[in-house]
Amino acid sequence: MTTIKDIVRNDLCVGCGLCVSESQTSTMEWNEYGFLTPKLDDSFNDTAIKVCPFNPNPDNAVRDEDKLADIYFKGSTHKDEHIGRFENTYVGYADEYRETSSSGGIATYVFEQLLKQDIVQNIFVVKELNGTYAYQWFKDAEQIKEISKTRYIPVTLEKLFKEIDTIEGKIAVSGVACFIKAIRLKQHYHPQLKGKIPFLVGIICGGLKSSFFSDYLAQKSGIEGEYNKQQYRIKDFNSTASDYSFGAFDKSKKFHQMKMRTVGDMWGTGLFKNNACDFCDDVTTELADISLGDAWLQPYNKDGAGTSVIVTRSKIADKLIKEGIDNKSLSVEELNLDRFKASQEGSFKHRQKATAYRIKKKRKTQQVIPQKRERLFQSIPLEFKLVQNLRMQLRAKSLTSWKENPNALVFENDIAPLKKELRIKTIIYHYAQVIKGKLGMRKL
Ligand SMILES: Cc1cc2nc3c(=O)[nH]c(=O)nc-3n(C[C@H](O)[C@H](O)[C@H](O)COP(=O)(O)OP(=O)(O)OC[C@H]3O[C@@H](n4cnc5c(N)ncnc54)[C@H](O)[C@@H]3O)c2cc1C
Ligand code: SF4
Ligand code: SF4
């Protein structure tokens, strides 16, 4: 039987910390590649692997996101093969929180409403802790801006289930898709937690970055040595939404800042990404009550102030958004499903269409392969396979290279040949797609 040790040793751990909640003594710790993983002792109980989102042999009732959505959103109004069960799709922003948030400030707004309307009395969210970021308890709706902004650094839910019995009242949690799946699995095996955690806010996620990503960006912004309170999404209100900056304080409390475009594409290339993300086909956080992402879509992407795309999946989430529209706290409107999907187009192609190919490749070197939704499996054209091969190589190389020598210049030289090859193959892939389109052939 596969165990948590197999998950970790096969590089399939995203650090959610749920297995630790099924262990007497294990805790989360940083590994040598800048990710959080559980300490591998012998204290995990039988449920530990069952709550792991990358379990290769899950029970049939909770086999995958489809089965779990059938349990948690059974009465949903709509169902789509790529975004799962849902009520509505929207686009827009929260007037009060847009400026100080990562996208349109909808996450901050939703958490504020959950507290103010007494739907929950506690939230468990990522916020600053001793100059870096971690999941923490929070309950003060008047100070809600403290929880805003996306943090691209590994975090863990470890504390949530260790401390939950000491928390009075109900809890809402934010999380990326695999974390939300882990919570749903935990609720399945411990049904008393369904009432205790009645609302999950899903953060649409393009990949988990190692802490090396922050180290690299800090160096690139001009910091030598230690840094703190790093900001990943500093908006430029006079530019486009994607033209944001990274910034951080050095030891002498001086703030350094640089435009992310100066370091090139950090997301599509897979740099510093966790291996498990190559097996993730849940693009839109299908198991959360509400899913929130960036509106990478015209005309919204032209607005540097930031705009959110929203999927409501539970009736209560949809009510919160509709109330906000009615009382004018939200400048939000319905977004056609196809337009919504277009806002995450690159992610659907990489995560859903190319998963089968990556699994086939990885079977050669990896003993454990997580259970995936075969209905999403499809063949991809040769030109996209070549891009996939390079993304996988570059992802792995970025981690080993930084581990060996954490110096931005050395690192850039080390990965330059692979990066160049990926750029060329990506151009070829895009041209091939355009030509196929013109010839009326099947495109990806
Ligand atoms: C690792 C990661 C990758 C992402 N990739 C994409 C992507 O590819 N495409 C896309 O459209 N959007 C992506 N996002 C989401 C996007 O960056 C915004 O977080 C989202 O649009 C919500 O914006 P907002 O203005 O509503 O949030 P805000 O109002 O600014 O609130 C931010 C919320 O995010 C939570 N949060 C912050 N960091 C984390 C974290 N590491 N894990 C869990 N919760 C966190 C906070 O608790 C808070 O509730 C990603 C987010 C993360 C964390
Ligand atoms: S992904 Fe989560 S449950 Fe699975 S091994 Fe890692 S910390 Fe444990
Ligand atoms: S891409 Fe998927 S597996 Fe990776 S962190 Fe995001 S939700 Fe989790």
Side-chain angles (χ1 to χ4, degrees):
M1 190 186 142
T2 310
T3 65
I4 291 298
K5 287 183 185 173
D6 299 315
I7 298 289
V8 175
R9 286 175 184 155
N10 278 272
D11 207 5
L12 286 171
C13 174
V14 284
C16 71
L18 267 283
C19 56
V20 160
S21 72
E22 301 284 337
S23 143
Q24 278 79 54
T25 51
S26 178
T27 51
M28 296 301 287
E29 55 189 18
W30 289 96
N31 75 9
E32 57 189 339
Y33 292 103
F35 292 109
L36 285 161
T37 54
K39 193 171 110 209
L40 295 181
D41 61 22
D42 291 318
S43 72
F44 295 101
N45 75 18
D46 289 347
T47 322
I49 189 69
K50 290 180 188 277
V51 297
C52 178
F54 294 94
N55 180 6
N57 304 304
D59 292 338
N60 191 44
V62 291
R63 192 179 62 225
D64 54 28
E65 287 77 0
D66 292 347
K67 287 275 189 183
L68 282 159
D70 288 345
I71 296 172
Y72 290 96
F73 302 115
K74 199 172 178 199
S76 70
T77 309
H78 306 287
K79 190 174 172 182
D80 174 80
E81 58 179 326
H82 298 294
I83 76 160
R85 289 182 175 273
F86 70 104
E87 290 301 312
N88 272 307
T89 44
Y90 301 92
V91 65
Y93 53 86
D95 295 53
E96 196 177 344
Y97 302 119
R98 183 188 205 192
E99 197 179 321
T100 45
S101 288
S102 281
S103 310
I106 303 291
T108 305
Y109 175 80
V110 168
F111 278 120
E112 183 208 39
Q113 290 306 309
L114 289 167
L115 288 170
K116 282 195 169 162
Q117 296 188 26
D118 213 26
I119 296 166
V120 301
Q121 292 71 44
N122 311 273
I123 61 177
F124 193 70
V125 285
V126 176
K127 67 188 275 290
E128 197 219 316
L129 180 69
N130 303 328
T132 184
Y133 303 97
Y135 268 104
Q136 291 168 70
W137 299 103
F138 194 82
K139 58 195 319 178
D140 187 355
E142 301 307 322
Q143 305 298 324
I144 200 74
K145 283 187 184 174
E146 284 182 26
I147 71 146
S148 299
K149 294 251 181 182
T150 304
R151 315 301 185 183
Y152 299 131
I153 192 159
V155 287
T156 175
L157 294 167
E158 178 183 18
K159 234 171 63 166
L160 171 62
F161 294 105
K162 278 195 171 161
E163 297 177 4
I164 199 161
D165 291 339
T166 65
I167 300 295
E168 268 186 41
K170 296 184 177 181
I171 303 156
V173 186
S174 78
V176 293
C178 53
F179 280 39
I180 297 287
K181 180 179 180 187
I183 296 174
R184 291 304 191 197
L185 288 165
K186 181 90 180 176
Q187 287 179 319
H188 178 76
Y189 291 105
H190 302 272
Q192 73 280 11
L193 293 172
K194 289 183 184 170
K196 186 78 180 170
I197 309 175
F199 201 99
L200 297 177
V201 175
I203 303 292
I204 291 179
C205 166
L208 173 65
K209 297 291 193 194
S210 147
S211 62
F212 295 175
F213 174 65
S214 303
D215 299 347
Y216 169 71
L217 295 181
Q219 273 189 33
K220 291 299 286 180
S221 69
I223 299 177
E224 284 174 25
E226 286 172 32
Y227 60 93
N228 61 67
K229 293 188 186 166
Q230 66 273 24
Q231 296 287 327
Y232 298 89
R233 296 279 298 256
I234 303 170
K235 292 176 179 176
D236 183 342
F237 295 93
N238 298 312
S239 188
T240 59
S242 57
D243 193 20
Y244 55 84
S245 297
F246 170 89
F249 290 92
D250 66 15
K251 268 196 297 199
S252 61
K253 299 194 175 140
K254 184 177 169 214
F255 194 69
H256 299 248
Q257 189 171 326
M258 59 128 198
K259 285 273 188 189
M260 282 300 289
R261 71 174 130 81
T262 59
V263 289
D265 178 9
M266 299 298 289
W267 292 94
T269 49
L271 286 173
F272 301 117
K273 197 173 70 173
N274 189 294
N275 179 54
C277 302
D278 271 351
F279 298 92
C280 175
D281 58 24
D282 182 354
V283 174
T284 58
T285 318
E286 295 175 33
L287 301 172
D289 289 84
I290 191 165
S291 308
L292 306 169
D294 288 290
W296 301 130
L297 188 72
Q298 286 211 19
Y300 313 103
N301 55 0
K302 301 276 179 249
D303 188 344
T307 310
S308 298
V309 285
I310 305 163
V311 188
T312 55
R313 302 184 189 277
S314 64
K315 309 276 189 237
I316 181 152
D318 204 54
K319 185 166 164 274
L320 285 180
I321 297 300
K322 287 205 163 93
E323 278 171 3
I325 296 171
D326 289 346
N327 67 29
K328 308 226 178 323
S329 305
L330 297 181
S331 297
V332 163
E333 59 190 12
E334 287 193 17
L335 181 69
N336 163 295
L337 177 60
D338 287 340
R339 295 260 295 147
F340 169 78
K341 287 198 205 171
S343 79
Q344 307 293 327
E345 191 185 4
S347 212
F348 282 118
K349 282 184 179 161
H350 180 78
R351 303 258 291 285
Q352 294 191 342
K353 299 190 173 176
T355 307
Y357 177 71
R358 283 193 302 275
I359 288 178
K360 192 172 153 213
K361 292 288 285 184
K362 296 218 181 196
R363 271 195 206 286
K364 293 178 186 158
T365 52
Q366 207 163 302
Q367 284 155 353
V368 177
I369 301 289
Q371 169 72 38
K372 288 286 96 185
R373 292 180 283 188
E374 287 184 13
R375 69 171 180 82
L376 290 168
F377 287 7
Q378 61 170 271
S379 60
I380 54 171
L382 175 66
E383 64 270 17
F384 200 37
K385 285 180 183 167
L386 300 177
V387 169
Q388 289 298 322
N389 292 347
L390 282 158
R391 283 182 184 168
M392 284 188 272
Q393 285 174 49
L394 191 54
R395 187 206 66 75
K397 175 83 182 172
S398 66
L399 293 168
T400 50
S401 175
W402 190 267
K403 180 177 159 255
E404 262 166 46
N405 195 338
N407 173 289
L409 273 180
V410 176
F411 170 77
E412 283 168 359
N413 284 334
D414 202 23
I415 63 162
L418 270 179
K419 225 177 146 180
K420 187 175 168 199
E421 207 184 333
L422 175 58
R423 199 167 46 242
I424 293 167
K425 297 270 162 62
T426 305
I427 292 169
I428 294 171
Y429 152 63
H430 286 306
Y431 271 116
Q433 288 289 299
V434 171
I435 291 166
K436 282 182 178 171
K438 285 192 174 153
L439 294 176
M441 291 165 70
R442 191 176 147 257
K443 282 173 53 183
L444 193 64

